[in-house]
Amino acid sequence: MIVVTGGAGFIGSNLLAGLEAHGARELVCVDWFGSGDKWKNVAKRALADVLPPEDLPAFLAARKGRIETVFHMGANSATTETDVDSIVRTNIRATLDLWDWCAANGAAFVYASSAATYGDGTLGFDDDPSPEALAKLRPLNPYGWSKHLVDRRFAAAARDPKTPRPRQHVGLKFFNVYGPNEAHKGPMRSVVHQVHPVAARGEAFPLFRSHRPDVPDGGQTRDFVWVGDVVDVMLWLRDHPKVSGLFNLGSGKGRSFLDLATAVYAALGKNAAIAWRDTPEAIRDKYQYFTEAKMDRLRAAGYARSFTPLEEGVRKYVLDHLVKDDPYV
């Protein structure tokens, strides 16, 4: 039995689809659905069970010895969240409890960390798990802090032979993931999803101007990674249970927002049209101008597959999903 928390969310639902295609059975989706269309993210899956997060402790307690892996993708991922107590409950306490349960019951544990742990990026994007390297990082918001705290806690546990730990334990620092099943995320969905309807109407999409003289408008850079590549890494980890650690998960290549928007228009056979707007002052001093995952540690662990180039991933997303009547995986 495999448990995926946040299983109806963006990455979680794509992971469930990948696991099913990979031959996994007895898949359990843990999530809240609300009253919208989020259920459609998992409507095609043959799930063994579906339950809300508050029921997970009792569910696990009743199934000791049956759980192979817990993929913990569930989190409050809003970088603008100001309710820190909620962040602590959802992102810290729940994650620490799942680590302890997996350690006590022989299950593998793979959890979602984030590139938000790197803060403004001035210290680089090296997934060095040493105490000295982690202690230097300064996340810019409660979400990034919550992920960083967990990373530090688990990295310390992994170094201490006296501390119980899951038989496989992996933290993945996701960079800017894009792909199907993200419509429910609203303003937190990828820029590809935001650009598409505007480009389809033949209108100009607004991108932030640069407020730095060394960066052109639209030249702000992110490491955009296709969700299918993210799923492939997690499936590979399941097939390689001796691999544990803290790893970046991006494409390894930073690209500009202008490149991304241009790729969406190109996928629709259109020339890019951009309307520039100022970065809001409320976030201007915290706005990252560059991210790029250093992927050496994952490669050294044995992951050899290539990552999907931006234009190919965007074209696949637009033509195979966004323009379809049924855009879900």
Side-chain angles (χ1 to χ4, degrees), residues 49 122 139 201 243 281:
D49 212 336
T122 56
R201 294 192 299 268
V243 176
E281 290 188 11

Side-chain angles (χ1 to χ4, degrees), residues 142-311:
Y143 167 71
W145 164 72
S146 71
K147 295 296 186 179
H148 185 50
L149 185 151
V150 167
D151 288 347
R152 295 182 74 178
R153 171 68 179 80
F154 292 164
R159 290 189 301 272
D160 183 0
K162 296 181 181 180
T163 300
R165 52 186 179 270
R167 60 177 175 81
Q168 181 184 27
H169 44 91
V170 179
L172 296 171
K173 293 196 177 198
F174 294 130
F175 278 66
N176 288 67
V177 188
Y178 66 94
N181 290 19
E182 60 169 338
H184 66 282
K185 295 178 65 178
M188 299 303 295
R189 68 197 191 281
S190 77
V191 175
V192 179
H193 195 283
Q194 295 180 48
V195 172
H196 171 257
V198 178
R201 294 192 299 268
E203 300 173 359
F205 184 81
L207 288 178
F208 288 156
R209 288 190 179 90
S210 171
H211 297 274
R212 284 176 38 175
D214 58 326
V215 177
D217 291 341
Q220 303 95 324
T221 300
R222 295 289 184 274
D223 189 329
F224 302 106
V225 58
W226 170 241
V227 70
D229 293 339
V230 168
V231 170
D232 283 345
V233 169
M234 289 191 279
L235 295 177
W236 178 84
L237 286 166
R238 180 173 178 248
D239 290 339
H240 294 79
K242 293 184 178 179
V243 176
S244 291
L246 182 63
F247 302 102
N248 281 338
L249 186 38
S251 69
K253 177 64 176 176
R255 298 291 298 275
S256 73
F257 280 105
L258 183 57
D259 288 341
L260 185 75
T262 299
V264 178
Y265 281 88
L268 294 167
K270 300 175 183 290
N271 294 323
I274 305 299
W276 302 106
R277 65 188 180 103
D278 289 339
T279 305
E281 290 188 11
I283 64 170
R284 195 176 298 177
D285 63 339
K286 299 181 178 67
Y287 191 77
Q288 288 180 309
Y289 273 71
F290 177 82
T291 70
E292 184 175 271
K294 187 175 180 181
M295 299 298 295
D296 303 50
R297 294 193 71 252
L298 185 63
R299 294 302 192 191
Y303 188 75
R305 293 192 64 172
S306 59
F307 287 86
T308 304
L310 178 68
E311 285 77 12

Side-chain angles (χ1 to χ4, degrees), residues 27 44 49 68 78 89 92 94 100 116 126 139 165-166 202 205 211 230 283 288 318 327:
L27 299 173
K44 299 173 185 177
D49 212 336
E68 170 204 310
R89 286 192 301 272
I92 297 177
D100 289 342
D126 188 342
R165 52 186 179 270
F205 184 81
H211 297 274
V230 168
I283 64 170
Q288 288 180 309
V318 171

